[in-house]
Amino acid sequence: MDFFMNMIDHHGYLFLFFSLMLELIIVPIPNEVLMSYVGFVVYQGKLNWFLTIMFGGVGGIIGVSVSYWIGYKLGAPFFYKHGRKIHLGPEKLDKMAAWHKKYGKALLVFAYFVPGVRHVTSIFSGITKMNFKTFAIFAYIGVFIWVGTFITLGKIFGPKWEEFHQEASKFLGVASVLGALIYVIYFFIKTNREKIKENSWLLYEHTFKRFKSFIGIKLFILFVSLVLITLISFMVGLIQDFIANEFGQFNIISTTVINYIFDDRWRGAMHYFSALSSWKPLDGVILLTVFWLLVLGKNKLMELQFYAVNLIGALIFGKGLHILFDYFTEGRNFSDAFPSESMLISIVIYGFFLYVIIRHPISHFFSVVALVLTISILAMIAISKSYLQIQQPSDLVGGFAFGGVWVSLVILLIEIFRFLTLIKSTPTKE
């Protein structure tokens, strides 16, 4: 690696161009580490950030283009016969075939963040005779995102680039797989729109025939249940990481990125956002929620009772968690603010207010605006507390998870209770 860094120090843009071009024609060069180092050199002011991305990106797209045409001209039989010599034997080809079938074009955008996949995805696209124009659009975008991300991270972390490169790479790998999955879901819905409509109608006919007016509640219960299960899984993972004391790197990386994006000019605004989690604005949200339920609520007494349970339970839940974690971590070097109690309460209060607006809307447009605004406020509250060094990012993420679990559970109970009440009040036909 010292050789590559020395070459960057002496030849800069030109060496970056050729190293990325050669790696993407299956030449083993540790370019993710190299690009992070390039970002550090940019941090030092020796190279230009924009030019490094341009030279690296152009070298990368030449490399993937050459790889594509190698795969296109030689074809599958050649690689099944001789691929082992270049670490592209039948097993890897079959694995790539499975990835390609599962993720399609999205693989070309996200594959560069997955070690062992980015080196062969272009060749495999050529082997399968993918249309070159389609390949170029997705692959070139992927190359520039990959190059830009690692150079920028190196610039952000500066002297600490080497220390946090591996951890950041792991997070990016997970994010790229999630991005690919989101694309797959979108692509599946888009390409199977008619079948989904047809099956949804059959589901309606067979499942909701008896209680037709309850379809909205049933679907809402299903959606909230899925959210709750997801949040519980995430919460369990956070508890395991907390007990294993594995938040150190995450906290440093998150804080570094936040401080890079939000400079000193944001300090005044950050104090304002942080104040949105204090009791005065939260009391205002509570009063507004009660007012909304009294004016637009259909089951006013029931919803207000559950809202009281939501608030009182959240306070007890937050205090109880700290007592519990303090007991199990006594005498050990752990954060005494996990999960963030203020973040948990904010999620519960703002989250329930959002639920009330969506459940009893003035208009769909207003609900969408409220959704975007509420999510933005909660995100900025968390960012501001990290920016102002009030709490660590892991404590805030913990507050998000635990608060989300609690408010989702309360909402689920409300909807189940509403559903059972409607069933009891609806006469059945024999």
Side-chain angles (χ1 to χ4, degrees):
M1 193 59 214
D2 290 339
F3 167 77
F4 294 112
M5 289 191 285
N6 186 54
M7 292 298 289
I8 286 292
D9 290 335
H10 288 86
H11 303 286
Y13 306 112
L14 196 60
F15 183 76
L16 177 65
F17 172 89
F18 282 107
S19 66
L20 282 165
M21 181 182 72
L22 291 172
E23 186 197 0
L24 294 175
I25 313 176
I26 319 187
V27 176
I29 298 174
N31 269 316
E32 286 188 351
V33 180
L34 184 65
M35 287 188 288
S36 295
Y37 177 71
V38 168
F40 170 58
V41 177
V42 171
Y43 168 85
Q44 293 177 314
K46 298 176 182 178
L47 294 175
N48 179 272
W49 175 75
F50 177 76
L51 289 178
T52 55
I53 293 175
M54 288 304 299
F55 272 87
V58 172
I61 65 175
I62 292 174
V64 298
S65 300
V66 171
S67 294
Y68 171 89
W69 288 111
I70 289 173
Y72 189 93
K73 295 296 183 182
L74 296 179
F78 174 86
F79 287 97
Y80 271 103
K81 186 176 180 180
H82 304 288
R84 291 186 189 278
K85 297 174 183 176
I86 54 172
H87 305 289
L88 195 58
E91 298 85 2
K92 182 162 279 189
L93 285 173
D94 291 339
K95 184 178 179 180
M96 283 298 301
W99 273 67
H100 201 272
K101 184 178 179 181
K102 192 173 183 180
Y103 299 110
K105 292 173 287 189
L107 179 64
L108 296 171
V109 177
F110 300 104
Y112 300 98
F113 291 94
V114 184
V117 175
R118 63 173 169 268
H119 305 89
V120 296
T121 187
S122 302
I123 286 182
F124 190 81
S125 297
I127 291 172
T128 56
K129 311 297 183 186
M130 177 184 284
N131 178 272
F132 181 74
K133 184 178 179 182
T134 302
F135 164 80
I137 290 171
F138 286 89
Y140 293 1
I141 291 172
V143 167
F144 272 101
I145 293 174
W146 177 57
V147 172
T149 298
F150 277 97
I151 291 177
T152 303
L153 284 174
K155 182 175 182 286
I156 291 172
F157 295 132
K160 299 178 180 178
W161 72 271
E162 194 170 9
E163 182 181 352
F164 301 119
H165 165 79
Q166 187 174 357
E167 195 74 14
S169 298
K170 182 175 71 175
F171 293 147
L172 288 169
V174 172
S176 66
V177 172
L178 289 175
L181 288 173
I182 291 169
Y183 173 83
V184 169
I185 294 169
Y186 164 76
F187 183 75
F188 176 79
I189 294 173
K190 183 179 178 181
T191 54
N192 295 276
R193 191 178 303 165
E194 292 304 318
K195 284 185 178 180
I196 291 171
K197 274 186 184 178
E198 183 181 334
N199 291 330
S200 298
W201 179 253
L202 289 173
L203 179 68
Y204 168 76
E205 284 290 312
H206 291 87
T207 307
F208 303 122
K209 194 171 183 180
R210 182 177 174 187
F211 300 107
K212 292 182 180 179
S213 60
F214 302 159
I215 184 170
I217 297 177
K218 288 183 175 182
L219 291 176
F220 197 81
I221 288 173
L222 176 61
F223 172 74
V224 177
S225 299
L226 291 173
V227 171
L228 179 60
I229 291 168
T230 303
L231 287 171
I232 289 174
S233 301
F234 182 52
M235 181 182 72
V236 170
L238 286 176
I239 293 172
Q240 291 173 338
D241 289 342
F242 175 74
I243 293 173
N245 205 10
E246 294 180 350
F247 285 136
Q249 293 281 58
F250 171 77
N251 286 330
I252 297 173
I253 290 173
S254 300
T255 303
T256 303
V257 172
I258 288 170
N259 290 335
Y260 178 81
I261 296 173
F262 302 97
D263 56 23
D264 287 339
R265 291 173 293 182
W266 283 83
R267 186 161 294 277
M270 289 300 177
H271 282 288
Y272 170 77
F273 284 120
S274 179
L276 292 176
S277 64
S278 60
W279 275 110
K280 187 173 286 187
L282 290 178
D283 288 340
V285 176
I286 292 171
L287 291 174
L288 187 56
T289 304
V290 172
F291 174 78
W292 202 284
L293 289 172
L294 289 172
V295 174
L296 297 174
K298 295 180 175 62
N299 306 92
K300 294 179 175 58
L301 181 59
M302 182 269 288
E303 290 178 323
L304 287 170
Q305 287 173 335
F306 271 104
Y307 190 41
V309 170
N310 181 54
L311 295 175
I312 296 170
L315 291 171
I316 297 172
F317 187 44
K319 296 291 185 185
L321 284 170
H322 279 286
I323 294 172
L324 184 66
F325 283 123
D326 287 345
Y327 174 79
F328 282 107
T329 60
E330 187 176 2
R332 299 167 68 187
N333 185 26
F334 285 86
S335 169
D336 57 1
F338 179 86
S340 167
E341 192 174 344
S342 65
M343 199 71 245
L344 186 154
I345 298 297
S346 298
I347 289 289
V348 168
I349 293 175
Y350 283 104
F352 197 91
F353 175 63
L354 181 61
Y355 157 71
V356 168
I357 288 177
I358 293 173
R359 198 68 181 80
H360 309 296
I362 297 176
S363 68
H364 292 300
F365 175 76
F366 182 82
S367 297
V368 171
V369 171
L371 174 65
V372 173
L373 187 61
T374 304
I375 292 174
S376 301
I377 287 172
L378 290 171
M380 289 309 300
I381 287 173
I383 289 170
S384 66
K385 288 184 179 297
S386 176
Y387 175 90
L388 297 170
Q389 299 181 354
I390 297 172
Q391 287 179 319
Q392 296 186 60
S394 58
D395 299 333
L396 297 165
V397 172
F400 262 105
F402 285 92
V405 166
W406 177 256
V407 74
S408 298
L409 178 60
V410 173
I411 291 170
L412 181 60
L413 292 174
I414 292 175
E415 293 303 321
I416 291 173
F417 191 88
R418 192 196 311 275
F419 181 61
L420 293 174
T421 303
L422 286 172
I423 288 177
K424 290 177 182 177
S425 63
T426 302
T428 58
K429 295 180 181 179
E430 296 296 335

